[in-house]
Amino acid sequence: MRVSGPSISLDKVSRDYGTVRAVDSVSLEIAAGSLVALVGLSGSGKSTLLKMINRLVEPTSGTIRIGDAAVDSIDAHILRRRIGYVFQNIGLFPHMTIARNIVIGLELAGEAEGRAARVGELLDLVELPRDMASRMPDQLSGGQQQRVGVARALATRPGLMLMDEPFGALDPVTRDNLTDQYKALHEKLGLTTILVTHDMAEALYLADRILVMEGGQIRADATPAELLSGNVGEEAEALVAIPRAQAAHLIALGKSS
């Protein structure tokens, strides 16, 4: 079931909302199979940048390519079937069973064959019991619902996953478990993943490359090790300082107990 994720290219991409420039002439190359985190304060432009890749938001100017294809050359609904999208509020349809939620993308694409088998395969993949297929979303915990959200995003076998604060509403233990599981899935399936997060510790743990955004621009582009070295700019250092201070505080508490 391994998927080969595509490369992503942005060339001088901007997005304006009236007089406000949310994303400002961003040029970027993301290699196939990467797990890239977009971090920054609220309003820095990271979610807008993510949504332009699957045309939930259209660029004011510039070009975005997935592999060799410009995204604006592909019908938006067809493009989105090729891209998995997971977000914080999950968005499961409350009147549909878990099975139907998972295969809704296949239904919309007119794929009638093998849906039941695909549901079972995906529930196995996200480590949920197969008997959950007949349940309704309100019968699942938040963490279980988010696993279903990941399964639904993977149903059409996309090579690219876009994730917008996917674990932000979960408790810390569930969040840690799901980040571990997603990292393993990313590697197992050979995906290209772009993750938006406010949590720098999450970005440092999950990503192999971190992009720090501020004022609609990318202010730092580095590996986790490079960011932790403290030599990649003030914006990045301010974000890294938070998990570093938390870790130091925990170590101090342990020594004093």
Side-chain angles (χ1 to χ4, degrees):
M1 190 180 159
R2 187 172 178 84
V3 177
S4 179
S7 60
I8 311 294
S9 173
L10 286 78
D11 182 22
K12 298 180 181 177
V13 172
S14 296
R15 170 66 195 197
D16 297 335
Y17 293 100
T19 60
V20 176
R21 175 149 287 193
V23 174
D24 186 8
S25 194
V26 169
S27 293
L28 178 64
E29 299 288 338
I30 295 175
S34 299
L35 202 166
V36 175
L38 285 171
V39 301
L41 301 177
S42 296
S44 60
K46 54 191 186 298
S47 289
T48 298
L49 184 61
L50 189 80
K51 290 174 181 177
M52 285 192 287
I53 295 172
N54 68 351
R55 298 186 62 191
L56 287 174
V57 172
E58 298 286 358
T60 303
S61 60
T63 303
I64 301 172
R65 292 183 177 275
I66 298 177
D68 294 329
V71 297
D72 61 3
S73 71
I74 307 169
D75 287 344
H77 69 284
I78 294 174
L79 175 72
R80 290 176 198 139
R81 288 176 193 160
R82 301 175 185 174
I83 300 171
Y85 187 55
V86 183
F87 45 96
Q88 181 173 333
N89 294 326
I90 306 169
L92 299 185
F93 296 105
H95 61 291
M96 294 182 182
T97 64
I98 296 308
R100 182 100 189 276
N101 265 284
I102 289 173
V103 298
I104 188 66
L106 297 177
E107 290 184 17
L108 293 172
E111 295 185 32
E113 298 296 324
R115 289 182 191 166
R118 184 69 175 142
V119 169
E121 180 183 21
L122 287 162
L123 288 173
D124 291 346
L125 195 64
V126 297
E127 299 184 12
L128 288 175
R130 290 194 175 203
D131 62 10
M132 280 191 174
S134 60
R135 298 188 194 179
M136 304 302 287
D138 63 1
Q139 296 177 294
L140 274 60
S141 69
Q144 290 168 335
Q145 288 187 40
Q146 195 60 291
R147 286 184 175 89
V148 173
V150 172
R152 179 178 62 184
L154 291 169
T156 57
R157 295 179 174 84
L160 172 62
M161 288 284 281
L162 305 180
M163 309 186 81
D164 195 352
E165 295 284 353
F167 313 122
L170 303 174
D171 66 85
V173 173
T174 302
R175 182 172 185 158
D176 283 351
N177 287 338
L178 277 179
T179 54
D180 283 341
Q181 285 184 340
Y182 184 77
K183 189 168 187 176
L185 276 177
H186 167 88
E187 293 171 358
K188 178 179 180 179
L189 300 179
L191 301 169
T192 302
T193 299
I194 305 175
L195 166 75
V196 165
T197 180
H198 284 92
D199 188 332
M200 193 63 176
E202 181 176 89
L204 290 166
Y205 173 70
L206 271 175
D208 46 56
R209 179 181 175 193
I210 299 173
L211 307 175
V212 179
M213 292 195 71
E214 193 274 328
Q217 297 181 333
I218 295 172
R219 305 291 189 178
D221 179 351
T223 66
E226 288 168 342
L227 282 174
L228 289 170
S229 73
N231 297 314
V232 290
E234 293 181 4
E235 293 88 354
E237 179 58 27
L239 293 171
V240 172
I242 298 170
R244 185 181 285 131
Q246 290 171 336
H249 181 61
L250 290 173
I251 291 170
L253 286 174
K255 289 180 178 179
S256 64
S257 61

